[in-house]
Amino acid sequence: EDLEFIEVHNPTADDVNVSEWRLRGGVDFEFPDELILPAGESLVITAFNPSREDRSQRVAAFRAHYGLSEEVALVGGFSGQLSDSQDRVQLQRRLPLGFEQAIFVQEDEVIYDDLEPWPEAADGTGNSLQRISAASLGASVESWVAAVPTPGRFGETPRDLNGDGQINAEDIDRLCAAIDQADPAFDLDGSGQTDSGDLDHFVRRVLGTNYGDANVDGMFNS
């Protein structure tokens, strides 16, 4: 689709020079020269080139659609197109070998699908695949959930847990089901377990409400 994007996040405490990095797989992209990804920040790679003057309206529409501030860095565009069903994205870093020779080594990779155990709600519903933690393996299905897209804001706990585009009590029901199944993809508080602590975290900290708020409007009433 026109607004496809890939987000790359730097979870380290140091700035990273990604100017000699690239994406390979379903899409190909060479990162621009002298591009620094600050510590803890994210970079959004779009299908179009946001630096072209004739793409200014498209950039504005992209930022408005996802509520992105000017502080969120955009680069692009990548060649190819990610499949809605299954595909592969690999992040590679150039490793010099000396004598003007170099190889590219894999930094991260995801090979996704639209069939269980992958979250089917990310297939054509407007939801995106979101990684639950920078410490989780990109190649593991347990590292991903389907949720409303939040480009440039990696690390925010998804609020739409069932991927239906709404924030309501059904998301709490989805989390309760995940707790019953001990589904590691819903370890929202980072404890290493999916349990009642995740329910407390979601209700009180993520939704900012209390138990008994059945319609999630912030009020305990009938």
Side-chain angles (χ1 to χ4, degrees):
E1 296 180 359
D2 290 341
L3 295 181
E4 273 189 339
F5 66 88
I6 300 171
E7 180 174 353
V8 175
H9 179 71
N10 176 12
T12 72
D14 301 309
D15 295 349
V16 176
N17 185 339
V18 295
S19 58
E20 293 188 332
W21 293 39
R22 68 187 190 182
L23 293 178
R24 288 295 185 267
V27 297
D28 290 344
F29 179 73
E30 313 288 337
F31 288 85
D33 294 338
E34 301 180 1
L35 179 62
I36 303 297
L37 182 54
E41 298 295 324
S42 294
L43 184 67
V44 178
I45 307 164
T46 61
F48 60 93
N49 187 345
S51 64
R52 287 177 46 175
E53 292 185 2
D54 60 348
R55 294 291 188 268
S56 60
Q57 290 185 345
R58 195 169 182 181
V59 170
F62 186 90
R63 290 189 181 278
H65 181 77
Y66 291 112
L68 300 185
S69 69
E70 294 295 329
E71 297 177 354
V72 177
L74 301 181
V75 295
F78 52 72
S79 60
Q81 184 173 359
L82 292 176
S83 169
D84 289 337
S85 56
Q86 57 183 350
D87 220 321
R88 165 181 167 268
V89 180
Q90 187 175 93
L91 178 64
Q92 301 177 350
R93 171 175 56 88
R94 185 176 185 272
L95 179 64
L97 298 179
F99 301 103
E100 299 183 353
Q101 294 183 332
I103 60 172
F104 281 89
V105 296
Q106 175 182 321
E107 282 289 332
D108 204 356
E109 182 180 47
V110 56
I111 303 175
Y112 65 86
D113 205 329
D114 64 348
L115 302 175
E116 291 186 353
W118 283 90
E120 297 179 15
D123 181 20
T125 66
N127 294 310
S128 67
L129 281 175
Q130 295 194 22
R131 197 162 174 171
I132 61 174
S133 169
S136 61
L137 294 176
S140 173
V141 63
E142 296 178 348
S143 300
W144 301 87
V145 295
V148 174
T150 57
R153 300 188 294 276
F154 180 85
E156 293 185 2
T157 302
R159 292 158 56 90
D160 179 16
L161 298 185
N162 64 351
D164 65 356
Q166 302 182 60
I167 312 299
N168 53 34
E170 292 185 6
D171 296 296
I172 299 176
D173 293 340
R174 177 67 185 91
L175 178 55
C176 289
I179 292 172
D180 289 340
Q181 300 162 5
D183 187 339
F186 289 81
D187 175 23
L188 304 182
D189 62 0
S191 68
Q193 300 181 29
T194 302
D195 52 25
S196 60
D198 297 294
L199 184 58
D200 282 339
H201 177 82
F202 184 68
V203 171
R204 300 184 190 280
R205 297 190 179 184
V206 178
L207 298 181
T209 187
N210 291 292
Y211 293 101
D213 179 13
N215 60 355
V216 196
D217 66 352
M219 300 178 64
F220 179 82
N221 53 32
S222 59

